[in-house]
Amino acid sequence: MNDELLKRAAEAVRERYDGATELAAAGELRVLRAFDRRVRRRRRAPLFAIPLVAAVIASAAWGTGSARLRALLHLAGGAEVTARITSSKASPKVGAQRSAPQAPAPLPEPLTPSAEPFAPLPEASALRKVRSAPPSARAVQRAPLVAPTPSSPVGNDAPSESEIAALYRAAHHAQFSGGDPSQTLVLWDRYLAAAPNGALSPEARYNRAITLAHLGRKAEAAAALERFARGDYGGYRKAEASSLLEVLRAP
Amino acid sequence: MNPWYLSRVVTGEYAPQSIEPARDPFLVALAAGETDALGVAYREHHCAVRAFACRLLGDDSAAEDMVQEAFLALPSAVRRFRGETSLRSFVIAVAVNHARHFVRAAARRRKNVLRLVHEPTTSSASPDERLAREQLGDALFRALDQLSLDQRVAFVLCEIEERSSQEAAEIVAAPSPTVRARVQSAKKRLREILEKEGFR
């Protein structure tokens, strides 16, 4: 086959289509309308984006203001939070076991506060209501369980992040799974002594105040809650603390 | 848009190559998305773009969609236009940039039609010259479906539309020798395919 046939084929195609159409005007109208629609859609697009952006900014501001975002980030970063947590519930001093790698251990018990942890106070209905869904419990449950690595920092006097997290989880577990309030208070104090300005310290202080209330130490509880109600921690637990204060101060 | 300028465009006095593109009010209006300017561009160039689209795709409705897509993309694309080619070639270049999807769709449609209707494939099937040419054209489109998009575009521009390799090179934004090489490869492959189909 030579080029002749290919040329004839190209010629046939060229003659078949010359680009002329009787519907040119309709085609133009179609293009202009479609273009107009596209332009209008583009102009409207930012209007739809504004509420979305506002919602994201508001969420970020709320998360930052309420210290929950920091707490979540802290927990998400603490991948080395380990099965040691279980043993640290009873004895938070875990330094003796640091040098050897450990196998991952299961969670001790579910941390959901389904069981009534403490004997109810006479005026504790409000307390129960506030405690019904502790956000920190949900956050702690999401923390990944990874076996500790042998390279974990050892030998410092200051507790490591994993130890601090273990202390927190021990206290939290004690509070929300029916532990003894006195023991719970000790565990919260240990956590706060180890990390007085830790990412979870606002939640720890709040939970400690609740524990004090359960122990009947109303004045101390009210003093602790007063800071939340005053807004020392931004909006974090402000409303809950205010309602608890009303209950505690009721005659 | 300046009506005086519009009249220049319509009467054909408009010569984009000779005008500084950045200061060309027509192009500025087009880039700004003025529908008047887009309408003028459509009226001026739709025939050439449609002819190219039909010759590339072999499918009227797909070609119409491709023409529409090219003109819809023109206002934003024309911001890159520097006047190296004519506006007509530039619009065809915009169409080429949007061709891939339409080529696939047209090829798919042709394949489906072939499954349903057994078309005669050889020119000897009919003594009628006109019918033979129709069949030859159809066979060429089936063969074009088997080429790469680059080869297909180069063949259509140079062999069917009879543009120079320089002009085709400007449209596809590739060097001239590359375009010529694509055309040669396309012709070689098309010959093989048409021979297989029984055309001699």
Side-chain angles (χ1 to χ4, degrees), chain A residues 117-157:
Chain A
F118 307 121
L121 293 169
E123 63 276 56
S125 57
L127 288 177
R128 271 203 303 276
K129 201 164 78 180
V130 171
R131 218 174 346 101
S132 62
S136 58
R138 293 193 296 273
V140 170
Q141 276 179 312
R142 281 188 215 113
L145 288 177
V146 179
T149 57
S151 59
S152 297
V154 292
N156 286 336
D157 286 343

Side-chain angles (χ1 to χ4, degrees), chain B:
Chain B
M1 185 177 177
N2 185 349
W4 170 82
Y5 199 81
L6 264 180
S7 69
R8 280 189 66 205
V9 171
V10 175
T11 55
E13 294 168 46
Y14 170 66
Q17 297 95 322
S18 62
I19 299 171
E20 177 71 29
R23 294 178 189 173
D24 182 336
F26 173 70
L27 294 180
V28 170
L30 194 55
E34 283 189 20
T35 45
D36 282 352
L38 186 59
V40 169
Y42 184 90
R43 285 193 292 277
E44 283 292 296
H45 305 298
H46 77 93
C47 267
V49 181
R50 183 175 292 101
F52 168 75
C54 289
R55 289 163 184 170
L56 183 72
L57 304 175
D59 183 313
D60 285 341
S61 62
E64 196 57 45
D65 290 343
M66 189 169 143
V67 170
Q68 177 173 338
E69 196 60 38
F71 279 100
L72 285 178
L74 185 59
S76 56
V78 85
R79 290 168 199 159
R80 300 189 304 270
F81 182 58
R82 294 288 169 266
E84 300 93 344
T85 60
S86 66
L87 186 60
R88 179 163 297 179
S89 295
F90 184 78
V91 183
I92 291 174
V94 174
V96 168
N97 288 336
H98 288 80
R100 191 173 296 276
H101 159 72
F102 295 103
V103 166
R104 280 189 195 148
R108 220 172 17 241
R109 197 173 303 169
R110 216 171 351 259
K111 222 172 183 176
N112 290 339
V113 169
L114 273 180
R115 272 187 208 146
L116 296 173
V117 184
H118 177 69
E119 292 184 359
T121 54
T122 58
S123 56
S124 59
S126 166
D128 181 59
E129 178 63 18
R130 193 165 165 274
L131 183 61
R133 284 168 72 84
E134 288 277 314
Q135 288 171 349
L136 192 57
D138 292 342
L140 182 60
F141 278 121
R142 287 195 299 275
L144 283 170
D145 286 345
Q146 298 180 46
L147 299 185
S148 72
L149 182 65
D150 287 340
Q151 288 178 354
R152 182 176 186 143
V153 169
F155 181 84
V156 170
L157 287 172
C158 294
E159 296 298 313
I160 299 180
E161 301 218 311
E162 296 181 310
R163 293 172 192 269
S164 68
S165 58
Q166 181 58 38
E167 199 181 350
E170 284 165 358
I171 288 172
V172 300
S176 260
T178 306
V179 172
R180 281 198 293 272
R182 284 176 188 169
V183 172
Q184 289 310 316
S185 312
K187 282 165 84 172
K188 188 176 171 220
R189 181 92 181 95
L190 289 172
R191 267 186 230 117
E192 289 169 4
I193 297 167
L194 290 177
E195 270 178 20
K196 263 188 201 167
E197 288 209 13
F199 288 97
R200 305 238 169 239

Side-chain angles (χ1 to χ4, degrees), chain A residues 184-204:
Chain A
T184 305
L185 187 65
V186 171
L187 291 173
W188 281 128
D189 285 340
R190 276 185 192 162
Y191 169 78
L192 288 167
N197 298 311
L200 295 170
S201 66
E203 177 68 7

Side-chain angles (χ1 to χ4, degrees), chain A residues 153-173:
Chain A
V154 292
N156 286 336
D157 286 343
S160 66
E161 281 206 359
S162 60
E163 286 169 353
I164 291 171
L167 286 171
Y168 182 88
R169 290 195 60 165
H172 192 279
H173 181 66

